[in-house]
């Protein structure tokens, strides 16, 4: 299996009201040449929430920034190029089940593309809950389960601006390494936690 951490930034929180992906980043955890991929995405609409991620309408609504329909074939090819011997690719994100994956699915559907069948998804939020429970902490009053709280818990320095996709991917990769080590979860264990 090929483990790849990914993150997105969006114009808002509602896929149903037409919010769009404006940044995508991923990192192949095996490393090597071209192990990271990052791009802004032209949503073809205004970005009302620049204060969250620092991405402005001017930064993305430009002809040199790919639209999602142009990016999807490039992204699928990139992930296929990282795939090991026809095995699955595990795309790992924090809060993926309720945010990142549904947004990605919506964008693929909107652009008339199918998510490849060998893509599996893992959300690290349930792992953080297991960790909090194993440490005897309540997720609500002790160890918070957002990515920045986990970064602070593990004393991982911030790499780049918070709430930018590539910075969050680098943070997630390090948090995942610490969590899986602490919980003794291997790649087959991640596959058991995966969803399509």
């Amino acid at each position: 299996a090929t483990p790849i951490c990914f993150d997105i930034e969006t114009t808002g929180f509602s896929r149903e009201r037409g919010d769009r992906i404006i940044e995508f980043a991923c990192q192949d955890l095996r490393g090597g040449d071209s192990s990271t991929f990052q791009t802004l995405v032209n949503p073809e609409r205004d970005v009302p929430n620049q204060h969250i991620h620092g991405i402005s309408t001017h930064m993305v609504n430009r002809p040199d920034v790919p639209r999602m329909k142009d990016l999807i074939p490039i992204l699928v090819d990139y992930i296929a190029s990282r795939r090991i011997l026809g095995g699955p690719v595990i795309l790992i994100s924090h809060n993926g089940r309720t945010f990142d994956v549904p947004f990605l699915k919506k964008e693929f559907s909107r652009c008339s593309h199918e998510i490849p069948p060998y893509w599996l998804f893992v959300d690290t939020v349930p792992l953080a809950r297991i960790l909090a429970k194993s440490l005897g902490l309540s997720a609500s009053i002790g160890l918070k389960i957002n990515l920045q709280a986990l970064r602070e818990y593990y004393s991982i320095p911030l790499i780049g601006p918070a709430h930018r996709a590539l910075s969050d991917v680098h943070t997630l990769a390090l948090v995942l390494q610490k969590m899986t080590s602490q919980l003794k979860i291997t790649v087959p264990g991640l596959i058991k936690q995966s969803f399509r």
Side-chain angles (χ1 to χ4, degrees), residues 4-8 24-29 35-37 92 147 164-175:
I4 296 178
C5 286
F6 82 98
D7 188 55
I8 61 171
F24 180 92
C26 64
Q27 177 183 355
D28 183 340
L29 299 184
S35 63
T36 59
F37 177 94
I92 305 156
L147 190 57
R164 284 300 299 268
L166 191 57
S167 176
D168 286 353
V169 162
H170 290 315
T171 297
L172 178 58
L174 295 170
V175 164

Side-chain angles (χ1 to χ4, degrees), residues 130-147:
I130 293 168
L131 176 67
K133 188 174 181 181
S134 74
L135 296 173
L137 301 170
S138 163
S140 60
I141 60 170
L143 174 67
K144 292 183 182 174
I145 57 172
N146 69 53
L147 190 57

Side-chain angles (χ1 to χ4, degrees), residues 6-158:
F6 82 98
D7 188 55
I8 61 171
E9 300 301 332
T10 64
T11 59
F13 297 113
S14 177
R15 302 174 304 277
E16 286 70 32
R17 288 199 297 262
D19 282 318
R20 301 276 177 82
I21 293 174
I22 54 172
E23 187 176 36
F24 180 92
C26 64
Q27 177 183 355
D28 183 340
L29 299 184
R30 296 171 304 132
D33 291 340
S34 304
S35 63
T36 59
F37 177 94
Q38 182 276 332
T39 184
L40 292 172
V41 182
N42 185 340
E44 302 177 279
R45 56 165 294 179
D46 288 340
V47 179
N49 57 346
Q50 176 183 346
H51 62 284
I52 294 174
H53 40 58
I55 300 170
S56 68
T57 301
H58 173 72
M59 288 169 66
V60 292
N61 280 338
R62 300 171 18 171
D64 59 328
V65 175
R67 294 169 296 176
M68 200 67 193
K69 68 180 184 179
D70 304 318
L71 176 62
I72 288 172
I74 296 166
L75 177 61
V76 168
D77 285 348
Y78 171 78
I79 291 175
S81 77
R82 306 302 300 180
R83 189 177 180 199
I84 305 170
L85 300 173
V89 174
I90 308 168
L91 291 158
I92 305 156
S93 58
H94 196 73
N95 201 24
R97 189 177 286 275
T98 58
F99 188 76
D100 301 74
V101 175
F103 252 102
L104 203 57
K105 184 179 174 185
K106 180 77 172 180
E107 292 280 29
F108 268 67
S109 176
R110 184 178 64 79
C111 297
S112 301
H113 284 273
E114 295 286 328
I115 290 180
Y118 60 88
W119 288 17
L120 301 175
F121 296 97
V122 169
D123 184 350
T124 53
V125 167
L127 298 180
R129 287 190 180 120
I130 293 168
L131 176 67
K133 188 174 181 181
S134 74
L135 296 173
L137 301 170
S138 163
S140 60
I141 60 170
L143 174 67
K144 292 183 182 174
I145 57 172
N146 69 53
L147 190 57
Q148 298 315 314
L150 289 166
R151 180 185 62 75
E152 291 168 9
Y153 172 76
Y154 285 118
S155 302
I156 296 168
L158 185 62

